[in-house]
Amino acid sequence: MMSNYIRLNLGITKVYLFPCTNGYLLIDTGYETDYKKFRNRLEKAGIEIDQIKYLLLTHYHDDHSGFANKLKYEFGIPLIVQKKSVPLLAQGDSGEEEEGHYITRRMRLLFSVFELFHKDFKYPPVLINNRDILVDGDDQRILRALGIHADILFTPGHSADSMSVLCDDGVAIVGDAAMNFLKFTGTHYRPIYYSNLEQTYQSIQKLISAGAQTILPAHGNPFPAKKLKNMLARFNIS
């Protein structure tokens, strides 16, 4: 069965809608300030917000969870998150918990300019309740119970709580586990920023081994998973 998804371009962040029982699963939000753009894109796609039945957050960073609080409390949309995300989402601050590193020197220089305009990485805190679904590592049941032919893979490295969705046909929605973004800085489809480089490569290998064929990143356009294989070979990662 071919994956049937809708990609909404919110600017820096791309989010995805997948049909599920009686509606849609939304994967990620953009920044808090992207909410109005999100509603406009949703309207153009012909989808009402009450058709969104679940929100899966690939990780806790502000460009992925920025208006999760709004969707949860104003519209009653339950969340699907990793257990590791719970305390991080409650802080509402991407920059608070982890010591991170840029993937290249050129990326570090570029983001030193970006950070002059994006001065903090905060967003409205998100508190988990008993309507939400917690994931503990990999999971092969949760999404299938919602009518989605896909598994959840725990893919840390970019952040400690990162997870991806792998559909049966090889379509992989990876959050920031891999990117097609700012390639002139030498990223080679790697995340621009990581908390643990070894885990980052292990998670990419995991996606490939699990059968990923097409990568849907949150940043940049979809690309074939063979690009990740080539990247691993380029950096002698086995």
Side-chain angles (χ1 to χ4, degrees):
M1 179 178 291
M2 295 294 292
S3 295
N4 181 18
Y5 65 88
I6 298 169
R7 180 175 180 259
L8 302 181
N9 185 347
L10 304 185
I12 290 178
T13 306
K14 282 68 180 173
V15 303
Y16 297 88
L17 287 158
F18 277 76
C20 69
T21 304
N22 299 321
Y24 291 91
L25 166 75
L26 173 64
I27 300 181
D28 284 338
T29 75
Y31 291 109
E32 182 185 5
T33 54
D34 288 335
Y35 177 70
K36 184 176 180 180
K37 188 183 294 183
F38 168 73
R39 293 300 301 268
N40 289 337
R41 299 289 187 274
L42 206 60
E43 183 178 356
K44 287 181 179 178
I47 298 172
E48 301 290 338
I49 198 161
D50 62 6
Q51 292 179 269
I52 299 176
K53 304 303 179 183
Y54 298 91
L55 167 60
L56 183 148
L57 299 177
T58 61
H59 60 295
Y60 76 100
H61 289 165
D62 61 330
D63 54 333
H64 294 256
S65 302
F67 54 86
N69 177 292
K70 192 173 189 71
L71 296 182
K72 177 178 173 63
Y73 295 110
E74 287 193 22
F75 300 98
I77 299 172
L79 306 186
I80 302 173
V81 301
Q82 281 286 333
K83 285 185 177 180
K84 288 181 177 290
S85 301
V86 174
L88 302 169
L89 289 167
Q91 292 185 45
D93 188 349
S94 303
E96 185 67 24
E97 191 67 20
E98 297 175 314
E99 179 182 357
H101 311 273
Y102 292 109
I103 197 72
T104 66
R105 291 181 180 179
R106 280 174 284 173
M107 185 61 68
R108 184 178 62 194
L109 290 171
L110 180 64
F111 265 73
S112 67
V113 176
F114 173 74
E115 289 170 356
L116 294 175
F117 303 94
H118 193 76
K119 294 184 181 298
D120 64 53
F121 296 85
K122 296 181 179 180
Y123 56 94
V126 182
L127 302 179
I128 301 304
N129 60 31
N130 59 11
R131 294 191 67 239
D132 301 314
I133 299 172
L134 296 185
V135 187
D136 191 4
D138 297 342
D139 186 274
Q140 291 78 43
R141 298 177 298 104
I142 291 171
L143 296 182
R144 296 183 188 278
L146 304 181
I148 301 171
H149 299 277
D151 297 328
I152 292 171
L153 298 182
F154 183 48
T155 50
H158 171 70
S159 68
D161 64 330
S162 291
M163 64 176 170
S164 300
V165 172
L166 178 61
C167 302
D168 288 352
D169 64 355
V171 169
I173 307 88
V174 302
D176 287 356
M179 298 183 186
N180 188 7
F181 188 58
L182 300 175
K183 290 186 288 184
F184 68 90
T185 63
T187 55
H188 297 288
Y189 300 96
R190 296 173 294 174
I192 62 174
Y193 179 92
Y194 64 88
S195 63
N196 185 306
L197 188 58
E198 182 179 1
Q199 284 186 344
T200 297
Y201 288 132
Q202 288 172 350
S203 290
I204 288 171
Q205 289 173 315
K206 182 176 185 177
L207 283 162
I208 294 168
S209 297
Q213 298 294 322
T214 302
I215 305 299
L216 306 186
H219 305 297
N221 292 321
F223 63 94
K226 66 182 181 181
K227 299 285 188 181
L228 294 177
K229 294 181 183 179
N230 293 341
M231 177 275 294
L232 293 175
R234 179 188 183 94
F235 293 104
N236 296 315
I237 307 298
S238 58

